[in-house]
């Protein structure tokens, strides 16, 4: 545990070292891992390409660092505590040794199905332990997993299956969510109608009826029967992809963010241990879904690499009631609890009664992730959940960054509500003005960039390296651009202000406005649409859609519902617009560009500060839009 930061001066010292001697800094940390072959060079990089390599030519398998390396010391320790959706159903506690055996066994299954190093495997599963087994078994055989959040629609799933040319899909019959039962396998069937995926393995969870296609579909429990629990890990290169995770951007279809193995491994463990100040024996719970990067880095990889006990929760915060999170905290004596502002705000709306029955004394650290946490939610979380004694780590990062970038070190960095505070060691931030000029010193505000590589950074976007370059490395020369606005205050503390591009953050989920518009436009009566985000009390941002449609023989109400269903079908329920306003025209410039600034202002109700509208082709449109505001 020599990589542990214990004091604030220790943090500044480590940070300084990571900037002046980055290669020595990361080599020291990487030395505590098990490599089949050590690296020739710590770092090779060029942000122009971009071409970034960490631990050049090193060979390893990430699962050996979770299992083989540690079985003698903590094989009997609980790796995963699984809490099912229904509190009356019995959960599971899986030790490192048991998880190891399940992973090895399933790795053997994958190999027997012809899945080898470099093959892509889609994981479309509920929050059950087999989902983690699936990810780790892929890593074990060197296959590249791509987890798709099980709330995405068949068409969104099909896009991802096709984009990465997946060889197999690992899924389940159904998914319990609160008092709903979702037919997961049926969605897979629909997604696969036009695809050549060879193998589908189905884990039984809800025991609902499913159709099994001969030759293609197999039951998980049949596959593992009698299969050996011994497996020799495939040796991969440090830069071989570990996984692809699709995420939305400001344009078009979601892109497959590619993370490689060595650097991701080193960074997720290091950041996990330090940010949460995890000590062996602690019970750590992150409420995210494994379909998002938070689940990858801080339910599965980071905690398991650190030998932690990680709670995995199948359900939702409000089932059977708004006290569920706190019931689980009490039940397992959770020490570190990591959730999203949207969940905090949703629970805040239920008041403090649901918290009363539970003992939260085990809590030591609270975490927040996914979107800016407003001061009121921060204070509620601090006072009522943390009993005014637990530090809050507001962790800023992204799918592309792989791990936490800006965050307090729990209990060490003095916190400030709504501030993610300071960068972790190894993270060299840079604030730029719109022209790309670095804004130095404190009390500045601009766009957030990173000017030096960190180990868990994005390497490419699957199948389209140029898109990676254009999206992240071209806006500001020689820098990775995050897409976020930021303020550095007089203390040098960072406060994330939200996206500066056409990305909306709905309940911590990223959606591109163009992606939602494309889905809306699929409705046959929609002629044109424009989507913007607006402040939403619980979700952080809501989706406001302006649509021009053919209203013949339709009531507005019918049409609005049909459009919502269309979006649900094409992307998933999370992308359903909160408000849809039917309009006869959109505010456009003479060159035909939609002036989103105006639409945003109207959506947020700031109709008296629309700014200059003189360049509009038809200023009358704005009046109509204001009058019809939802
Ligand atoms: C975007 C990334 C990686 C965590 C899950 C979301 C916003 C994330 C914070 C925070 C303010 C935050 C940013 C970022 N965001 N964490 N602590 N404070 N904003 O991952 O889907 O890749 O979204 O989420 O806007 O760019 P993601």
């Amino acid at each position: 545990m020599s990589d542990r930061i214990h004091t604030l001066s220790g943090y500044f010292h480590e940070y300084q070292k990571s900037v002046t001697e980055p290669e020595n800094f990361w080599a020291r940390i990487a030395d505590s891992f098990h490599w089949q072959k050590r690296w020739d060079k710590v770092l090779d990089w060029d942000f122009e390409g971009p071409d970034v390599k960490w631990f050049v030519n090193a060979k390893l398998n990430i699962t050996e660092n979770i299992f083989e390396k540690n079985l003698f010391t903590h094989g009997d320790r609980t790796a995963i505590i699984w809490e099912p959706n229904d509190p009356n159903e019995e959960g599971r506690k899986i030790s490192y040794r048991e998880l190891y055996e399940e992973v090895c066994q399933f790795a053997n299954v994958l190999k027997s199905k012809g899945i080898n190093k470099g093959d892509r495997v889609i994981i479309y599963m509920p929050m059950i332990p087999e989902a983690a087994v699936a990810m780790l078994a892929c890593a074990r055989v060197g296959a590249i997993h791509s987890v798709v959040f099980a709330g995405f629609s068949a068409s969104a799933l099909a896009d991802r299956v096709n984009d990465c040319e997946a060889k197999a899909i690992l899924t389940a019959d159904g998914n319990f969510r609160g008092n709903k039962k979702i037919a997961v396998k049926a969605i897979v069937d629909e997604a696969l109608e036009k695809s050549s995926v060879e193998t589908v393995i189905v884990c039984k969870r809800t025991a609902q009826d499913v159709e099994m296609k001969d030759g293609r579909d197999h039951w998980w429990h049949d596959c593992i029967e009698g299969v050996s629990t011994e497996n020799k890990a495939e040796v991969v290169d440090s830069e071989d992809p570990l996984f692809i995770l699709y995420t939305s951007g400001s344009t078009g279809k979601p892109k497959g963010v590619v993370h490689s193995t060595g650097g991701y491994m080193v960074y997720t463990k290091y950041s996990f241990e330090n940010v949460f100040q995890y000590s062996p024996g602690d019970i750590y719970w992150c409420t995210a879904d494994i379909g998002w990067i938070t689940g990858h880095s801080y339910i599965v990889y980071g905690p398991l690499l650190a030998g932690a006990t990680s709670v995995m929760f199948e359900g939702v915060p409000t089932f059977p009631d708004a006290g569920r999170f706190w019931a689980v905290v009490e039940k397992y004596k959770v020490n570190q609890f990591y959730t999203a502002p949207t969940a905090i705000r949703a629970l805040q709306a239920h008041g403090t009664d649901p918290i009363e029955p539970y003992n939260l004394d085990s809590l030591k650290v609270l975490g927040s992730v996914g979107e800016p946490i407003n001061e009121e939610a921060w204070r509620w979380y601090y006072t009522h959940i943390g009993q005014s004694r637990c530090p809050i780590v507001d962790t800023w990062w992204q799918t592309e960054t792989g791990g936490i970038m800006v965050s307090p070190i729990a209990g060490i960095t003095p916190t400030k509500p709504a501030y993610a505070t300071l960068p972790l060691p190894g993270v060299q931030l840079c604030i730029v003005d719109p022209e790309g000029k670095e804004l130095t010193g404190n009390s500045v505000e601009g766009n957030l960039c990173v000017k030096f590589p960190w180990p868990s950074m994005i390497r490419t976007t699957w199948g389209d390296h140029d898109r990676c370059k254009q999206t992240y490395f071209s806006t500001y020369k020689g820098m990775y651009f995050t897409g976020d606005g930021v303020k550095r205050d007089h203390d040098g503390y960072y406060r994330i202000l939200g996206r500066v591009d056409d990305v909306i953050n709905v309940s911590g989920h990223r959606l591109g406005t163009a992606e939602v518009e494309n889905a809306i436009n699929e409705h046959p009566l929609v002629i044109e649409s424009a989507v913007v985000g607006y402040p939403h009390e619980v979700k952080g941002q809501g989706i406001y859609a302006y649509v021009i449609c053919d209203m013949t023989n339709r009531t507005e109400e019918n049409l609005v519902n049909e459009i919502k269903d269309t979006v649900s079908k094409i992307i998933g329920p999370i992308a359903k617009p909160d408000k849809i306003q039917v309009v006869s025209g959109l505010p456009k410039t003479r060159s035909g560009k939609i002036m989103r600034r105006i639409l945003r202002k109207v959506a947020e109700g700031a109709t008296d500060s629309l700014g200059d509208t003189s360049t509009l082709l038809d200023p009358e449109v704005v009046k109509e839009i204001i009058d019809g505001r939802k």
Side-chain angles (χ1 to χ4, degrees), residues 294 369-372 394-399 484 499 505 510:
T294 311
V369 61
E371 48 174 319
D394 176 2
T395 64
W396 173 86
W397 57 298
Q398 312 177 292
T399 304
D484 281 316
R499 304 289 305 198
N505 191 326
R510 234 161 106 170

Side-chain angles (χ1 to χ4, degrees), residues 502 513-514 516-518 520-521 526-533 544-548 583-602 610 612-613 615-618 621-622 625:
D502 288 321
T513 52
V516 181
E517 286 162 9
N518 290 344
I520 291 174
N521 298 346
V526 171
I527 296 159
E528 195 179 0
S529 64
V531 162
V532 295
Y544 196 117
Y546 299 88
V547 292
I548 306 174
V583 295
S584 66
L586 291 166
K588 288 188 180 172
T589 60
R590 288 192 183 83
S591 59
K593 231 178 113 160
I594 297 175
M595 286 185 81
R596 284 173 190 280
R597 173 176 59 83
I598 293 176
L599 295 177
R600 264 186 231 117
K601 290 276 184 199
V602 174
L610 293 182
D612 183 15
T613 54
T615 54
L616 286 177
L617 186 62
D618 176 13
V621 156
V622 178
I625 288 177

Side-chain angles (χ1 to χ4, degrees), residues 52 58 72 107 123 130 189 196 201-202 204 210 214 253 273 296 307 333 359 405 447 520 562 572 608:
V52 175
F72 289 114
I123 298 175
E130 287 82 357
D189 291 337
S196 56
I201 301 180
V202 188
K204 190 171 262 177
V210 294
D214 252 3
K253 284 207 165 92
E273 286 181 339
H296 284 59
K333 299 197 170 48
N359 183 336
M405 301 289 276
N447 290 345
I520 291 174
E562 284 178 25
D608 46 3

Side-chain angles (χ1 to χ4, degrees), residues 450-569:
V450 189
K451 57 183 174 187
F452 193 83
W454 64 102
S456 63
M457 67 183 287
I458 179 175
R459 296 300 196 271
T460 187
T461 43
W462 184 259
D464 191 352
H465 192 63
D466 192 54
R467 190 161 177 208
C468 174
K469 183 187 169 97
Q470 293 310 328
T471 311
Y472 306 105
F473 296 91
S474 300
T475 317
Y476 303 112
K477 207 174 148 50
M479 281 183 266
Y480 166 83
F481 175 44
T482 64
D484 281 316
V486 70
K487 165 177 150 183
R488 185 165 52 218
D489 76 354
H490 52 275
D491 290 327
Y493 268 35
Y494 290 85
R495 177 179 188 154
I496 308 298
L497 303 171
R499 304 289 305 198
V500 294
D501 52 8
D502 288 321
V503 167
I504 315 180
N505 191 326
V506 184
S507 303
H509 305 317
R510 234 161 106 170
L511 291 162
T513 52
E515 189 187 354
V516 181
E517 286 162 9
N518 290 344
I520 291 174
N521 298 346
E522 289 287 314
H523 189 286
L525 297 181
V526 171
I527 296 159
E528 195 179 0
S529 64
V531 162
V532 295
Y534 72 98
H536 186 286
E537 248 181 45
V538 173
K539 298 178 176 184
Q541 280 190 296
I543 303 177
Y544 196 117
Y546 299 88
V547 292
I548 306 174
C549 16
D550 175 358
M551 295 287 287
T552 348
N553 305 326
R554 279 296 212 287
T555 66
E556 182 165 331
E557 197 191 334
N558 275 342
L559 197 64
V560 161
N561 288 333
E562 284 178 25
I563 292 172
K564 286 187 180 176
D565 288 346
T566 308
V567 176
S568 242
K569 225 172 135 23

Side-chain angles (χ1 to χ4, degrees), residues 192-443:
L192 292 191
E193 270 166 20
K194 287 181 243 108
S195 113
S196 56
V197 168
E198 294 159 20
T199 305
V200 177
I201 301 180
V202 188
C203 186
K204 190 171 262 177
R205 170 64 186 121
T206 54
Q208 65 201 95
D209 280 343
V210 294
E211 265 177 52
M212 297 293 275
K213 191 171 162 187
D214 252 3
R216 186 193 73 181
D217 300 352
H218 314 272
W219 285 106
W220 183 294
H221 55 266
D222 290 338
C223 291
I224 61 174
E225 206 184 299
V227 172
S228 163
T229 53
E230 278 170 36
N231 170 279
K232 196 169 168 313
E234 184 75 34
V235 175
V236 307
D237 189 90
S238 178
E239 280 303 327
D240 278 340
L242 175 63
F243 65 86
I244 305 170
L245 189 58
Y246 285 85
T247 191
S248 300
S250 46
T251 51
K253 284 207 165 92
K255 48 189 169 287
V257 170
V258 177
H259 282 288
S260 66
T261 309
Y264 178 83
M265 169 178 80
V266 169
Y267 195 84
T268 50
K269 173 173 184 269
Y270 175 80
S271 53
F272 170 74
E273 286 181 339
N274 278 297
V275 168
F276 296 100
Q277 290 288 296
Y278 184 87
S279 306
D282 282 349
I283 309 295
Y284 161 88
W285 180 19
C286 165
T287 69
D289 191 284
I290 50 140
W292 312 114
I293 190 70
T294 311
H296 284 59
S297 304
Y298 299 110
I299 293 178
V300 180
Y301 289 109
L304 296 183
L305 284 160
T309 299
S310 180
V311 176
M312 186 175 184
F313 175 45
E314 182 183 36
V316 296
T318 49
F319 178 82
D321 57 55
R324 185 63 188 282
F325 274 178
W326 323 126
V328 176
V329 168
E330 177 183 272
K331 181 172 176 188
Y332 299 116
K333 299 197 170 48
V334 170
N335 303 115
Q336 291 89 5
F337 177 75
Y338 191 25
T339 196
T342 186
I344 298 166
R345 288 189 299 261
L347 295 175
Q348 195 182 352
H350 291 267
T352 52
D353 285 354
I355 312 170
E356 292 306 323
Y358 303 106
N359 183 336
L360 304 181
D361 288 351
S362 60
L363 288 172
K364 295 197 283 194
V365 175
L366 301 177
S368 171
V369 61
E371 48 174 319
I373 178 165
N374 47 309
E375 228 175 295
E376 206 194 332
W378 195 101
R379 291 195 190 283
W380 189 86
Y381 196 29
Y382 184 75
T383 311
H384 299 291
I385 307 306
Q387 307 170 342
S388 303
R389 59 175 181 81
C390 301
I392 295 181
V393 291
D394 176 2
T395 64
W396 173 86
W397 57 298
Q398 312 177 292
T399 304
E400 294 86 345
T401 69
I404 296 169
M405 301 289 276
V406 184
S407 168
I409 307 287
I412 290 171
T413 315
T415 57
K416 229 188 246 190
Y419 279 77
T421 73
L422 299 170
L424 295 198
V427 176
Q428 300 191 30
L429 303 175
C430 175
I431 303 183
V432 298
D433 70 8
E435 278 70 52
K437 194 167 96 20
E438 178 165 1
L439 302 171
T440 53
N442 289 341
S443 305

